[in-house]
Amino acid sequence: MINDSGQGKEQGDRPLPLLMVDVVLLTLVSGQLCAGLTLRSQENEPYFGAWCLPGGYVHPQEDMDAQDTARRVLRDKAGVSSPYLEQLITMTGAARDPRGWSASIVYYALVPEHIAPQSSERFRWEPADDLMRRTLPFDHTSMLRVAIERVRSKTSYSALPIHLMPEEFTLSQLRSVYEQILGGKLEPRSFVRRMQEMDVLQETGKTRTEAHRPARMYRLKSDRSMALLGPSLLIK
Amino acid sequence: MINDSGQGKEQGDRPLPLLMVDVVLLTLVSGQLCAGLTLRSQENEPYFGAWCLPGGYVHPQEDMDAQDTARRVLRDKAGVSSPYLEQLITMTGAARDPRGWSASIVYYALVPEHIAPQSSERFRWEPADDLMRRTLPFDHTSMLRVAIERVRSKTSYSALPIHLMPEEFTLSQLRSVYEQILGGKLEPRSFVRRMQEMDVLQETGKTRTEAHRPARMYRLKSDRSMALLGPSLLIK
DNA sequence: ACAATAGTGTCTGTTAGACACTATGCC
DNA sequence: GGCATAGTGTCTAACAGACACTATTGT
């Protein structure tokens, strides 16, 4: 139940849990899947000077909900405006942050390379594969792992990677992004079929010529911004 | 980033967001998927006297993490001990609870019918289909919808419904649970094949006789307590 | 024997992978 | 023309749906 007898006591005598939002911001930097990191600059705080996922406390007066917080964090810490943004998982517990019991609502965001911010003193991109083997502050490595797993999973049955593409792109380019994320080669023929079935691409009419036969260019169909699940078990 | 300049001010001057856990507790009552509801009994609180999903505030000294909170809530409000429990989504915002900005970490739990608690004055089961059309307090209807969607989705590619079964069960019983959840008939032949591929069932040797040819009984294979995703897009 | 449910064999339409083939540019 | 990349036609093996068939009980 939302209320219970312990609540008043909790709020009065004991420290309340901290509520924050962290964001796994992903893009492709020259074909490689990378995550955005920000520099922890506050002194007297844990992990001062370390690089970690962009995050911040919920500001109840400012943010209508946690997705708002995620957007604000991305804007302030990474200079990213309106990416694809989806809630991923909430990490909780007494042990994950030395400042006390905390809950971090984790989102992941996808931005196309041409919108991705430049690296600076307080922000940089790092290949996701490298980061997953390294140790990030707090439980940020777990967050990254879950995000990559989710992106890979969705990539295998949806058109999610389109959110990593520029406005217009060729099928080859899209396929190579899929290959990069999934970590293997894809059959061009099967790939085309899948894209057609999903019915999410729209020809622009233009073509892109790069040294050989020009490739048709596509964009995301206006309405169709999301998924499509696999076949149903149901008969008829 | 975990810390930011606004944080001290937030914690001092302004009310912190409330952090709570709600649980969508599901079971089968005579073959029908039902959710557990508890009665809101505190006076002076919103929705006094209404039936809603079991939930409660996080108790930082008591709960190691939010999953602990969920277990405690289930124990205290529904008398359920160790069900299948999985984090679902976190609902947040200024509008969802009249007491102020709040975050509710939502879990869903599956219990087999023989372990499901009896209805009482403060707890009862209600068919999930009915509830989805009714209006529950707060955003509990949304929570329920997301839970059902998740259970249906996982049912279509995993062995999740086994967590709704008794220790030992027949394939027909399991199939009819799948049918109940998915809302349609399944081909017995295809169903057997799927279960074999997933390799999650173990014959007990016993049979169950109910008026006709006895059916073999199965249990969940000791280790294999979870999923199996669909086919990969990868070549070789 | 017959009814009813459990469980298997097997045909077939569909589909994903494989790959040959055509199309169209640049040099 | 030759080469490289774009894109299509089409064969085939694997598989899921469909359903006939066998198996095993109670009455």
Side-chain angles (χ1 to χ4, degrees):
Chain A
M1 210 151 296
I2 292 287
N3 189 38
D4 66 25
S5 52
Q7 201 266 327
K9 195 170 54 191
E10 300 299 326
Q11 243 176 346
D13 307 346
R14 306 279 188 161
L16 271 168
L18 302 169
L19 184 61
M20 52 192 74
V21 167
D22 291 297
V23 184
V24 182
L25 175 60
L26 299 172
T27 196
L28 289 165
V29 178
S30 48
Q32 193 174 25
L33 193 63
C34 291
L37 301 179
T38 55
L39 188 63
R40 284 186 68 77
S41 56
Q42 290 75 18
E43 305 204 21
N44 297 329
E45 289 296 338
Y47 301 108
F48 164 66
W51 290 89
C52 65
L53 298 178
Y57 288 102
V58 166
H59 292 185
Q61 325 88 294
E62 224 177 312
D63 311 325
M64 282 297 292
D65 56 25
Q67 188 127 357
D68 265 5
T69 309
R71 274 188 285 263
R72 179 172 53 75
V73 162
L74 283 178
R75 181 166 26 82
D76 295 351
K77 308 233 159 144
V80 168
S81 54
S82 56
Y84 175 84
L85 189 61
E86 186 185 327
Q87 191 183 304
L88 188 63
I89 194 177
T90 299
M91 309 286 279
T92 60
R96 59 172 299 276
D97 187 313
R99 283 164 290 183
W101 214 105
S102 65
S104 170
I105 305 170
V106 186
Y107 287 77
Y108 75 100
L110 305 181
V111 285
E113 182 163 11
H114 70 282
I115 287 185
Q118 300 280 326
S119 290
S120 69
E121 282 184 4
R122 319 197 64 243
F123 181 86
R124 69 187 228 214
W125 296 103
E126 195 95 10
D129 282 339
D130 296 359
L131 285 177
M132 293 214 282
R133 281 182 229 109
R134 279 189 17 211
T135 304
L136 288 169
F138 307 102
D139 45 9
H140 287 194
T141 307
S142 305
M143 294 176 182
L144 181 70
R145 288 216 181 90
V146 176
I148 298 296
E149 194 183 355
R150 174 90 133 242
V151 169
R152 277 206 237 272
S153 162
K154 285 214 164 190
T155 297
S156 71
Y157 65 81
S158 83
L160 186 70
I162 292 181
H163 296 288
L164 292 169
M165 306 301 291
E167 271 301 309
E168 304 192 356
F169 51 87
T170 70
L171 274 181
S172 302
Q173 290 173 328
L174 182 59
R175 178 160 43 82
S176 92
V177 168
Y178 270 74
E179 290 172 344
Q180 185 63 37
I181 294 171
L182 295 174
K185 285 287 175 192
L186 295 180
E187 273 294 330
R189 197 71 186 85
S190 304
F191 187 74
V192 172
R193 272 196 296 241
R194 270 181 184 259
M195 289 303 133
Q196 283 170 349
E197 278 161 22
M198 289 190 198
D199 191 34
V200 288
L201 295 184
Q202 189 163 42
E203 274 194 61
T204 67
K206 299 182 216 164
T207 59
R208 175 191 160 90
T209 302
E210 189 165 8
H212 298 289
R213 172 175 171 176
R216 295 181 203 145
M217 303 205 70
Y218 297 84
R219 70 163 64 86
L220 179 60
K221 265 195 184 171
S222 35
D223 46 338
R224 323 289 268 90
S225 78
M226 266 321 313
L228 248 179
L229 287 173
S232 166
L233 269 174
L234 297 179
I235 300 174
K236 278 155 219 160
Chain B
M1 209 153 293
I2 292 288
N3 188 38
D4 65 25
S5 53
Q7 199 267 326
K9 196 169 51 190
E10 300 299 325
Q11 243 177 346
D13 306 346
R14 306 278 189 161
L16 271 167
L18 302 169
L19 185 61
M20 52 191 74
V21 166
D22 289 298
V23 184
V24 181
L25 175 60
L26 298 171
T27 197
L28 289 164
V29 178
S30 48
Q32 193 174 25
L33 193 62
C34 292
L37 300 180
T38 56
L39 188 62
R40 284 186 68 77
S41 56
Q42 289 76 19
E43 304 204 21
N44 298 328
E45 290 296 338
Y47 300 109
F48 164 67
W51 290 89
C52 63
L53 298 177
Y57 288 103
V58 165
H59 292 184
Q61 326 86 295
E62 224 178 312
D63 310 325
M64 283 297 294
D65 57 26
Q67 188 127 356
D68 266 5
T69 308
R71 275 188 284 262
R72 180 173 52 76
V73 162
L74 283 177
R75 181 167 25 84
D76 295 352
K77 308 233 159 144
V80 168
S81 55
S82 55
Y84 175 83
L85 188 62
E86 187 185 326
Q87 191 183 302
L88 187 63
I89 194 177
T90 299
M91 309 287 278
T92 61
R96 59 173 298 278
D97 188 313
R99 284 163 291 183
W101 214 105
S102 65
S104 170
I105 306 170
V106 185
Y107 286 78
Y108 75 99
L110 305 180
V111 285
E113 182 162 12
H114 71 282
I115 287 184
Q118 300 281 324
S119 289
S120 69
E121 282 185 6
R122 318 196 67 241
F123 180 85
R124 71 187 226 212
W125 295 103
E126 195 95 9
D129 281 339
D130 296 0
L131 284 178
M132 294 214 282
R133 281 181 229 108
R134 279 189 17 211
T135 303
L136 289 169
F138 308 102
D139 44 9
H140 286 193
T141 307
S142 305
M143 294 177 182
L144 181 70
R145 287 217 181 92
V146 175
I148 298 296
E149 195 183 355
R150 174 89 133 242
V151 169
R152 277 206 237 270
S153 163
K154 284 214 165 189
T155 297
S156 72
Y157 65 80
S158 82
L160 186 70
I162 293 181
H163 296 288
L164 292 169
M165 307 300 292
E167 271 300 308
E168 304 193 358
F169 50 88
T170 70
L171 274 182
S172 302
Q173 290 174 327
L174 182 59
R175 178 160 42 82
S176 91
V177 169
Y178 269 74
E179 290 171 345
Q180 185 62 38
I181 293 171
L182 295 174
K185 285 286 176 193
L186 296 180
E187 273 295 330
R189 196 73 186 84
S190 304
F191 186 74
V192 172
R193 273 196 296 241
R194 269 180 185 259
M195 288 303 133
Q196 283 170 348
E197 278 160 23
M198 289 190 198
D199 190 33
V200 287
L201 295 184
Q202 191 164 42
E203 274 193 61
T204 67
K206 299 182 214 162
T207 58
R208 176 189 159 89
T209 302
E210 189 164 8
H212 298 287
R213 170 175 172 177
R216 296 179 203 147
M217 303 206 71
Y218 296 85
R219 70 163 64 87
L220 178 60
K221 265 195 184 171
S222 36
D223 46 338
R224 323 289 268 89
S225 78
M226 267 319 314
L228 249 181
L229 289 173
S232 167
L233 269 174
L234 298 179
I235 300 175
K236 277 153 217 161

